[in-house]
Structures are given as structure tokens and as C-alpha cells.
Amino acid sequence: DTAVSQTPKYLVTQMGNDKSIKCEQNLGHDTMYWYKQDSKKFLKIMFSYNNKELIINETVPNRFSPKSPDKAHLNLHINSLELGDSAVYFCASSQRTSVTGELFFGEGSRLTVL
Amino acid sequence: KNQVEQSPQSLIILEGKNCTLQCNYTVSPFSNLRWYKQDTGRGPVSLTIMTFSENTKSNGRYTATLDADTKQSSLHITASQLSDSASYICVVTYSGTYKYIFGTGTRLKVLA
């Protein structure tokens, strides 16, 4: 009964390819996020959607395109993959009206670009 | 610049020992501060949340403290277990928004 689920968990691909990572949450939250965790384990925000509307778009190359078909889903599509895109990508969700605003994370998707 | 800094960067202790992790922040205005535990290969999971008015909060063997005046928080782990080996991340939330500022994390290794 996973709260935030991401697929795939592992992804190995060649430079120049296009790939997608999918995320779904069953917590009824209204806000979803994509974070990138580099080799030093630092979590960096990439995008955030609130009720399907983009609210945070950090300085991410436009090769990365998020899509939120509904508030329970947030997908990440990456075009023309580069070596530097290798990282673990985490999806998270929260309820913006919650007093505490706890972030709930998925298990991560490890992307390796060869 | 709003930042969250953690120390030490990494820590190795023997099973059964206690340890304390530090988090200093400059985020203002401040809403709350969370400590997350991230096991290897897993997503971060919240351990505890501290709001402006709280000084101490416990969750089992984990005790978090907050000094809002000096903008410092600590996470104390008592009687460490092998399963405590993980990264511990301090996350501060801006007041009035849901922007989260992440610390750089402390990697804890507990040895038998």
C-alpha cells in the first residue's frame, strides 16, 4: 500500500536517449515534487506542481519536462540524456493546506547514463 | 542567503553509543524544521518536526532540540543500533510558503 510510488526504480540508458520516470501518490495530496539527489547525497528541488499547476521551476535544463495529468500523478520526461543527468530522482508529495506540510518521498529512481 | 548547514558531514560510532547531529540554519521567516532519515537506497522519511515554539521533541531513541534564537537544531540518538546507519537530513520550511530548504546531510555509520 505504497503512498508515493515511482517507476522504474532503476534505469540504465545511453547518452542522447529520451526517458521518462513516472510518479503516483495515493495520499490525496495537492502538491507534488521532483528532486534530484547527486553523488554527494544532496537533494535539490527541480519542479513542483500544485493541483496540476507548475509552481516551482528551478534552473533545470529544458531537456527536462514535467507533466502532471492530475494531482495524483507527476511524470518527468528527459530528452537527449547526458552523463551529468546520472543521479537518483525522487518524487515527493505534500498537502499545502496542512499545518506541518510534511514531505512524503518515493523510493527513488536511479538513472545511469552511459 | 537562506541556507541549512549540517555537521558533522559523516560520523562513525559503535553500537550502543550515543551521538548528536547538528543543524544550523539562516532561513527566515521560519516555519518549522524537520529531521529526515534516509536509509541507503530508500527515500527520506520524517523522524520529527519542530515548530517555532518547541524546544524538545522525542521519537523513541531520537530526540530533537530547537533553539530558534540561535537558529540551531540538534538530533540526539540514544543507544545507537545498527539500523540507525543512514543519512540524516535537516529540512527547514519558510513561513507562509511550502518552500523547503534542505541541509547537506550527515552520514551516520553504526558499527557492531
Side-chain angles (χ1 to χ4, degrees):
Chain A
D1 193 21
T2 309
V4 181
S5 58
Q6 314 178 210
T7 55
K9 189 169 173 66
Y10 299 98
L11 190 52
V12 180
T13 188
Q14 300 284 336
M15 269 176 52
N17 284 351
D18 304 338
K19 291 293 178 187
S20 292
I21 308 171
K22 296 186 176 183
C23 179
E24 175 181 3
Q25 54 96 3
N26 63 6
L27 297 166
H29 288 164
D30 59 4
T31 306
M32 296 184 72
Y33 311 78
W34 277 112
Y35 285 88
K36 180 180 181 181
Q37 189 170 47
D38 58 26
S39 57
K40 293 184 178 179
K41 303 295 186 184
F42 183 65
L43 277 158
K44 188 174 179 182
I45 182 71
M46 299 174 69
F47 302 103
S48 176
Y49 273 75
N50 175 255
N51 284 318
K52 302 195 298 176
E53 182 183 344
L54 183 65
I55 56 171
I56 295 176
N57 183 354
E58 294 295 307
T59 50
V60 178
N62 57 16
R63 297 182 294 104
F64 290 77
S65 52
K67 280 193 173 50
S68 181
D70 55 61
K71 69 176 190 176
H73 296 84
L74 179 61
N75 303 323
L76 182 65
H77 187 76
I78 315 170
N79 289 326
S80 304
L81 279 157
E82 300 177 357
L83 294 176
D85 297 332
S86 295
V88 183
Y89 293 84
F90 284 97
C91 177
S93 73
S94 70
Q95 181 60 28
R96 220 173 182 196
T97 53
S98 161
V99 173
T100 63
E102 179 177 350
L103 281 169
F104 289 80
F105 286 87
E107 294 296 291
S109 295
R110 180 176 291 276
L111 171 64
T112 303
V113 182
L114 303 175
Chain B
K1 184 179 178 182
N2 289 297
Q3 286 187 321
V4 178
E5 297 193 354
Q6 294 184 239
S7 61
Q9 197 169 40
S10 60
L11 184 60
I12 300 174
I13 61 173
L14 292 176
E15 189 177 14
K17 297 296 185 184
N18 304 335
C19 66
T20 300
L21 314 180
Q22 300 289 346
C23 174
N24 295 342
Y25 63 93
T26 59
V27 176
S28 181
F30 168 89
S31 176
N32 60 59
L33 182 150
R34 281 190 184 277
W35 283 94
Y36 282 82
K37 180 187 179 189
Q38 184 177 17
D39 292 315
T40 301
R42 308 293 298 273
V45 175
S46 178
L47 287 174
T48 185
I49 178 174
M50 306 289 290
T51 58
F52 188 85
S53 58
E54 294 175 309
N55 298 120
T56 304
K57 186 174 283 187
S58 291
N59 177 5
R61 294 180 297 102
Y62 300 102
T63 299
T65 65
L66 175 66
D67 185 333
D69 291 330
T70 60
K71 297 186 177 180
Q72 295 180 327
S73 175
S74 66
L75 180 69
H76 186 75
I77 305 174
T78 304
S80 61
Q81 300 177 358
L82 297 179
S83 59
D84 292 330
S85 295
S87 289
Y88 292 83
I89 305 168
C90 176
V91 183
V92 180
T93 307
Y94 274 105
S95 178
T97 75
Y98 287 91
K99 189 161 187 178
Y100 304 90
I101 310 298
F102 282 73
T104 48
T106 293
R107 293 192 211 186
L108 174 66
K109 189 163 183 64
V110 180
L111 300 178

